[in-house]
Each structure stands twice: as structure tokens, then as C-alpha cells.
Amino acid sequence: MQEYRHVEKPGWKLSWHWLNKEVIWDMRGAETTEQGNCSAFASSNNLPHCCLRRPTIVDLLPGASYNLQVSNCCRGGVLTSMSQDHANHVSTFTMDIGSSPDDPEEFSIPYNFDIGVPGYSCDNATSVAPTKFSTDKGRRKTQALATWEAVCVYSQFRSSQSPKCCVSLSAFYYQNIVPCPTCSCGCSSSPCVKKGEMPPYLEQKHDPYEEVSPVVTCSDHMCPIRIHWHVKVNYREYWRVKITATNLNTMKNYTNWNLVVLHPNLKSVQQVFSFNYKSLTPYQNSINDTGMFWGVQFYNDVLLQAGKIGNVQTELLLKKDMGNFTFKEGWAFPRRILFNGDECVMPSPDDYPRLPKSASLSSSSSSTITISFVTVVFCFLLHLLLV
């Protein structure tokens, strides 16, 4: 249900604890990672799919047998955000559940849910309105006997002890680039790969369905992802910005990446080049200052691992809000940037690119000249009246 955060590989691993001695007889669309001890059913013709008190469920992989599939299954546990792909943000599976022979209790709601993705914590299931199903082309509806819902929420602090991205800034009127803050995601003492070197980690075999720890290119900030915001051009009624996302992680491609930017002038975006864009209005349309960017499918929707082509970039054209627009005091730079739902480290506002002093002096001088000219003219007119 998240607008801009998705579940990446190795995907979700849903688990819970049975209140009684329930067993899973059969599954479609997913499977448990272990069967467990099913010796209590040794006399039966078929053994249950899983007899564990705490089963762990994983999504089937793409290409699973048709007789094992259900709708919205078989993506290896990957879920997209709602904004990027509304069709693939749902995952479904079905189960046939029974009781152990020595504990013929009625089915009870399981508890202690966990989705198996770093950063998420889940509450216990609660009873909600029964789910309804449409049949006969929508002319008839049936409903489940009961429906429960468990909600899982995300915390960046629970996900990782250190940030995962940082932001650098530049502008056409400022000769220097403001880099990411030093040690944004770690310090130089951490393992890293020098430019031009091949890390030994790439020579090792890795399980494609397990998360690999990032190995980043050596830098002062040590972040896997760097976002650069450049104020490029100033027009009479518009201004232009270039955004570049660079992957410094030598171990990972970021598929279906996205950026979320907070800036007051995003309410006046006129055109976005080479990226998809959606305005986000989390405050019920009262404030329109947040936008989401993501790649075009089959063109730049994959941010490749560190290297010459390990970056994606776009430019956006914004119409000036004459009541608020200014290049002073760092107004042209974003307030916040998130990459794949995680907030990036911003430079200190004191370090933001500033207008040259000459521009301020010329502006001040122009005002002084204008005031002096008006004073002279006023005195001259007063002299004529007196004469």
C-alpha cells in the first residue's frame, strides 16, 4: 500500500505462529521453506505441506507450474510500489488448513506476524469485514466466512543503522560543487573498492535470492547511492534543473528504482525529460510540494552497478512562482530527497551554493542609484515650483 517503497529481492518471507496445532495441507501460489515433523500423520496416505508451529511462507518463482499458480503470484516475493506499477503491488496465495489428530481444535487467528523484510514490524491480526468475491461477470457476489488483517509498517532506523544515500549540490552561478557530507553512510575505514580495481567479491558465487551486503566505491561519504541536484539554467519565466542518480555499489543493480523529492516549486513542473513523474499530495491536496520520479520501462528503469554506465539522469523544467521564487539562501535546492523510500543525507544549509557577492553588490548599487535619481528629480521639481 506504499506509494514509493517496494519490496526488492530476495522478496518477502511471511511467517506467523499458530495458536493451536494447525497444519497446512496444501498451498497454491507460495510454499513453506520447511515441511517440519509430520510424523503424526504417518498413517495417512498424504503428508501435510507443513507441520511447523511457525511456518515461513515464500512466493513461488516466475515460471512455476500452472497447477501451482494463482492470480498475483509467482514473482519471487518482489512487490512494486503502487505508483510505479499498480498491477504488481499485490501478492496472493491460498492454503488448505487442518488440525493435528491430537488437537482437534477449531481454527484460531495466528499471531506474531513477520514479513521477513528488514525495517518492517507487524501487529497482530484483527477481524475486519469479510472479503467479497465477484462471480458471474459481476452479477453475483459471495463472501468469505471471516477475514483478518495484519498491518506491517516500515522504519528506516530498523532497516539499517546507517543511511543508504546522500545528496550533492551545484548551480550555474556557483563555481564549486557542494559534495555529500563526509561519512554520510560510513567512514573511509570501512571496506571499499578503489576506482579501477576489481573487487574480489565479484569473483565469488552468491545466492541470487539472498541480499548481498553493499561493497561501495571508495569515497568521502561511502554511500551506495549519490543523488546530484544541479540548477542548470535560469530563464525569464522558467528555470531548469538536472538530477543525476549514481550507483556506487559494486554488488547490486537497482531495478524499478525511484526518487521522491520535496521542493515548493514542484507544484509548477512543466516538463520532465526521460523519467516518469507523479505528483504526491500526502496532505489531501492542500500542499503540492512532493514529487516522485522513476525510470522508463526498458530504457532506464534499472540503475546498473558502479561503473561508467552506473547512473541515470533527467532534467525538469519548472515555471517560476514569482511570489516565492529566488536563488537566494539556497531556495532552489530540495528540502528532502528519498531513494527507494529511504531518506538521503543532505548537506548542511550553511554549505548550499550561494549567489556571488558581486550579484548582491550590483543589486544593492542599482537600488542606491535609483533612490539617488528619484531624490535628484524630486529636488529639481521642488526648485521649479519655488521659482
Side-chain angles (χ1 to χ4, degrees):
M1 303 299 294
Q2 300 180 99
E3 287 276 4
Y4 50 80
R5 185 177 292 110
H6 47 260
V7 176
E8 302 177 273
K9 288 183 179 181
W12 54 264
K13 293 182 179 180
L14 183 62
S15 61
W16 60 77
H17 202 93
W18 292 118
L19 184 62
N20 300 311
K21 294 182 179 181
E22 288 88 353
V23 297
I24 302 173
W25 279 99
D26 190 35
M27 295 194 72
R28 294 288 185 273
E31 61 185 358
T32 60
T33 57
E34 294 184 40
Q35 184 183 31
N37 184 6
C38 295
S39 58
F41 300 88
S43 59
S44 62
N45 295 329
N46 296 316
L47 293 178
H49 180 85
C50 180
C51 300
L52 293 173
R53 291 292 299 273
R54 185 172 182 81
T56 299
I57 316 295
V58 294
D59 195 13
L60 294 180
L61 298 175
S65 300
Y66 286 109
N67 63 331
L68 298 177
Q69 295 187 24
V70 296
S71 60
N72 297 317
C73 85
C74 314
R75 304 190 196 98
V78 175
L79 296 175
T80 62
S81 66
M82 291 183 66
S83 296
Q84 288 177 263
D85 189 348
H86 198 75
N88 292 317
H89 75 286
V90 177
S91 188
T92 305
F93 61 89
T94 64
M95 300 180 294
D96 293 336
I97 302 170
S99 299
S100 175
D102 58 347
D103 186 26
E105 296 286 341
E106 293 185 359
F107 175 76
S108 300
I109 305 175
Y111 64 97
N112 197 9
F113 282 82
D114 184 21
I115 199 173
V117 180
Y120 285 89
S121 57
C122 306
D123 62 6
N124 286 326
T126 57
S127 180
V128 295
T131 305
K132 294 185 177 182
F133 307 94
S134 179
T135 61
D136 194 17
K137 298 182 179 180
R139 298 195 305 168
R140 172 178 166 79
K141 288 187 177 180
T142 59
Q143 71 178 43
L145 298 179
T147 300
W148 297 275
E149 181 179 86
V151 177
C152 302
V153 296
Y154 180 82
S155 168
Q156 183 173 343
F157 299 102
R158 291 175 60 92
S159 173
S160 175
Q161 295 182 352
S162 59
K164 301 177 181 179
C165 56
C166 64
V167 179
S168 57
L169 307 171
S170 63
F172 68 90
Y173 54 79
Y174 195 74
Q175 62 180 356
N176 298 323
I177 295 177
V178 178
C180 290
T182 302
C183 296
S184 294
C185 305
C187 289
S188 55
S189 58
S190 304
C192 62
V193 178
K194 295 181 180 180
K195 292 183 178 180
E197 291 186 356
M198 177 65 70
Y201 305 93
L202 298 181
E203 301 173 2
Q204 302 176 6
K205 294 183 179 180
H206 299 282
D207 186 347
Y209 305 110
E210 293 293 335
E211 182 71 21
V212 179
S213 299
V215 179
V216 303
T217 303
C218 296
S219 64
D220 291 334
H221 54 80
M222 297 295 289
C223 290
I225 298 293
R226 183 185 68 229
I227 310 300
H228 186 72
W229 178 282
H230 176 64
V231 179
K232 187 175 181 180
V233 184
N234 180 32
Y235 303 107
R236 180 177 180 181
E237 297 183 359
Y238 302 90
W239 62 298
R240 197 180 186 101
V241 171
K242 182 177 181 179
I243 303 175
T244 304
T246 303
N247 186 3
L248 300 174
N249 188 352
T250 61
M251 303 296 290
K252 183 177 181 178
N253 298 332
Y254 292 86
T255 304
N256 292 325
W257 58 268
N258 65 62
L259 285 173
V260 174
V261 178
L262 176 65
H263 191 284
N265 212 172
L266 287 180
K267 64 182 179 181
S268 302
V269 171
Q270 300 298 301
Q271 189 171 0
V272 177
F273 302 89
S274 71
F275 282 5
N276 291 306
Y277 176 76
K278 177 184 178 181
S279 176
L280 301 179
T281 52
Y283 305 108
Q284 300 180 353
N285 298 326
S286 60
I287 301 176
N288 183 11
D289 61 357
T290 308
M292 175 177 170
F293 303 84
W294 70 96
V296 178
Q297 190 174 17
F298 307 126
Y299 175 58
N300 57 3
D301 60 334
V302 178
L303 177 53
L304 298 176
Q305 66 191 59
K308 294 182 179 180
I309 57 175
N311 66 84
V312 290
Q313 51 190 332
T314 185
E315 294 189 10
L316 54 151
L317 187 67
L318 304 102
K319 186 176 179 64
K320 293 180 179 178
D321 181 357
M322 295 305 179
N324 297 318
F325 179 83
T326 179
F327 284 130
K328 296 180 179 179
E329 307 302 328
W331 186 91
F333 298 99
R335 281 44 173 172
R336 297 173 64 194
I337 289 184
L338 289 81
F339 179 82
N340 279 356
D342 288 320
E343 187 162 359
C344 302
V345 179
M346 298 286 296
S348 169
D350 293 336
D351 298 330
Y352 279 19
R354 306 285 181 176
L355 284 172
K357 292 184 178 180
S358 58
S360 302
L361 288 174
S362 63
S363 175
S364 176
S365 300
S366 299
S367 301
T368 304
I369 293 172
T370 303
I371 293 172
S372 301
F373 177 75
V374 171
T375 303
V376 171
V377 171
F378 177 76
C379 292
F380 179 73
L381 290 175
L382 182 61
H383 177 72
L384 290 177
L385 290 174
L386 292 174
V387 172

